Amino acid sequence: MESIALWQGLTLCGIVSWIFISSCLNVTQKLRTLVQPWVSHHVITGTPIILQIQKYQHGFLDALFSGLSCVVSVPFYTAFLPLLFWSGHGKLARQMTLLMAICDYSGNCIKDVVSAPRPSCPPVKRMTATKDEEENALEYGLPSSHTLNTICLSGYLLHYVLSYTQNQDASLKFAGFAIVCLIVCLTGLGRIYLGMHSVIDIIAGLAIGFAILAFWLSVHEYVDSFIVSGQNVMTFWAVLSFLLLFAYPTPELPTPSFEFHAAFTGVAFGIVAGVQQTYHQFHHEAVPHIFTPQLTIPSFIGRVLVGLPTILIVKYCSKALAKWILPVVSNTLSIPIKSTSYIPMLNGSVTGKKSEKNKPTGYAMKLFFFSSQDTFDVDTGIRFLQYSGLAWSVVDLVPSLFSYLRL
């Protein structure tokens, strides 16, 4: 018990220390000054390669690479992971959720630290077939998140399948490895073809993806054991999620990257909280798996028809509840807030801000006001609670409904 509390405390204290040190020493700006010119130079010099690839533009390739970009995107995985939980593969689902959260946070942090541009359009033709792609285009370029995520998630999925089946057939392993390599290569080529990334972005995505995958394969069993049977799990994860919001670097110009991170950090917290509370009821290894007599295809379809509307309702209710509670709590604690999109009445205004004469200046307030801003965007908290509620419903509320309905 003491060793568990010790490493949890050291982890959280380390993050707090990094927040203060990086803020005082302006680490983000210094790193950006060193790296950004080099990356920007390679983005510019890589433009002829992109134009050469786009000479082969064809309707079939447009559809192929646009479709592939959707399949390996964060929204797709967000929709796919609930089905994985409900199919009985809870361990794989929670491991991929946490890995996705690490990929999303790491990739977006690096994007906003470097703040390197995407390929210039024109001369490059940028093809955005979906609203999600249009939002991605507003982010900075390096690294390619699609490439990074594809390496990590497809690589871990291959590792899990081979471990789960305990198949020692060398030809099957080679086939699986070849399929993963093909998907990764097509994803990287597709991002260049669509004009979304330059070659240096893809290379960075590959390198960072391999590093994260290697790290995750070395710790995933320890993390899973902590989640399902550890001590102080919810408290630790709640504080960790809160600190990671503050540890996120400030980009050169505002981008949607922080919003994406806040949402998926909420998903990770909701999954951890729900699984930790209901592991022995719904998520242990002996639960029914799809394609077995205990969980037939019709039963699984019934789960999907019940589960998807339920989590959408919970998402809507969580958002409405957060929009009501957070401003009240902030005003009660005299925390000045604003809202950029969710609460029109707070758009461009600040609530809870006291006069300079009465404004607290103790160390507790300095902890919250260490950055240059003196107001907080309440949308971050709303987004976090909204997706936390959605994820919790996936692993707690919905399985309870399945049990009640005998699905």
Side-chain angles (χ1 to χ4, degrees):
M1 181 69 181
E2 292 181 359
S3 61
I4 293 175
L6 178 62
W7 75 257
Q8 291 178 359
L10 289 175
T11 300
L12 298 179
C13 288
I15 296 175
V16 172
S17 300
W18 166 252
I19 292 173
F20 277 100
I21 291 172
S22 61
S23 178
C24 294
L25 300 181
N26 202 12
V27 173
T28 298
Q29 184 60 45
K30 291 179 180 178
L31 287 175
R32 184 178 298 143
T33 302
L34 290 173
V35 180
Q36 188 188 64
W38 183 83
V39 175
S40 300
H41 169 74
H42 282 276
V43 171
I44 295 171
T45 56
T47 300
I49 299 176
I50 303 175
L51 296 176
Q52 187 66 32
I53 292 174
Q54 290 190 334
K55 285 183 179 180
Y56 298 95
Q57 185 178 352
H58 188 275
F60 170 76
L61 294 178
D62 293 354
L64 172 65
F65 290 130
S66 295
L68 187 61
S69 293
C70 292
V71 169
V72 300
S73 64
V74 173
F76 173 82
Y77 288 122
T78 305
F80 170 73
L81 289 172
L83 305 184
L84 204 54
F85 274 107
W86 301 337
S87 70
H89 293 282
K91 182 176 182 178
L92 174 61
R94 59 181 178 265
Q95 292 281 5
M96 291 189 70
T97 300
L98 297 180
L99 178 56
M100 188 73 203
I102 294 174
C103 292
D104 187 66
Y105 187 84
S106 302
N108 286 338
C109 275
I110 296 172
K111 280 179 185 287
D112 285 350
V113 167
V114 178
S115 296
R118 291 181 183 266
S120 180
C121 176
V124 171
K125 181 180 179 181
R126 186 167 298 150
M127 291 169 265
T128 53
T130 64
K131 183 179 179 181
D132 177 58
E133 281 288 80
E134 292 176 0
E135 291 180 346
N136 288 337
L138 299 176
E139 296 182 288
Y140 289 110
L142 183 138
S144 167
S145 296
H146 283 71
T147 305
L148 190 160
N149 295 341
T150 303
I151 285 181
C152 289
L153 296 177
S154 61
Y156 183 77
L157 180 60
L158 175 62
H159 167 80
Y160 180 86
V161 170
L162 294 177
S163 301
Y164 183 77
T165 59
Q166 296 183 343
N167 195 304
Q168 301 299 321
D169 188 352
S171 60
L172 184 62
K173 292 182 178 180
F174 178 79
F177 181 75
I179 291 173
V180 169
C181 289
L182 177 62
I183 294 174
V184 171
C185 290
L186 286 176
T187 300
L189 178 62
R191 302 310 287 168
I192 297 175
Y193 175 89
L194 296 173
M196 295 294 290
H197 286 286
S198 58
V199 176
I200 189 67
D201 301 337
I202 304 301
I203 294 174
L206 289 169
I208 297 169
F210 278 124
I212 292 176
L213 179 60
F215 166 76
W216 185 247
L217 290 176
S218 66
V219 302
H220 68 110
E221 292 291 352
Y222 299 104
V223 174
D224 195 64
S225 176
F226 169 67
I227 291 172
V228 301
S229 61
Q231 302 291 328
N232 308 320
V233 177
M234 289 183 61
T235 302
F236 171 76
W237 214 278
V239 177
L240 176 66
S241 301
F242 177 79
L243 291 178
L244 288 178
L245 294 174
F246 281 89
Y248 193 88
T250 303
E252 193 170 50
L253 295 172
T255 72
S257 295
F258 180 74
E259 299 174 7
F260 299 157
H261 142 66
F264 216 88
T265 299
V267 168
F269 174 70
I271 293 295
V272 169
V275 168
Q276 209 273 333
Q277 293 293 315
T278 62
Y279 174 74
H280 296 289
Q281 288 80 21
F282 306 125
H283 304 290
H284 54 87
E285 293 302 311
V287 298
H289 290 67
I290 194 171
F291 304 126
T292 64
Q294 292 77 26
L295 182 56
T296 61
I297 295 296
S299 296
F300 179 70
I301 293 175
R303 288 188 171 195
V304 173
L305 294 178
V306 171
L308 289 181
T310 302
I311 65 175
L312 292 177
I313 292 172
V314 171
K315 179 184 176 184
Y316 174 82
C317 294
S318 299
K319 180 179 179 180
L321 195 61
K323 288 170 64 176
W324 174 66
I325 291 178
L326 289 183
V328 172
V329 172
S330 299
N331 288 334
T332 302
L333 298 177
S334 299
I335 300 176
I337 59 172
K338 63 181 179 180
S339 174
T340 54
S341 58
Y342 284 150
I343 306 177
M345 289 190 304
L346 298 181
N347 193 352
S349 65
V350 178
T351 65
K353 190 172 183 179
K354 296 183 177 182
S355 64
E356 293 298 322
K357 181 178 179 180
N358 297 323
K359 186 175 181 180
T361 57
Y363 288 106
M365 290 303 296
K366 288 182 180 180
L367 175 62
F368 291 96
F369 292 96
F370 62 83
S371 64
S372 58
Q373 65 183 26
D374 59 355
T375 62
F376 291 90
D377 193 341
V378 73
D379 291 0
T380 299
I382 294 173
R383 190 174 292 109
F384 177 85
L385 292 178
Q386 174 187 3
Y387 282 91
S388 294
L390 181 149
W392 165 82
S393 69
V394 168
V395 295
D396 192 334
L397 175 62
V398 171
S400 298
L401 291 178
F402 293 162
S403 178
Y404 178 77
L405 298 172
R406 300 184 184 278
L407 288 175

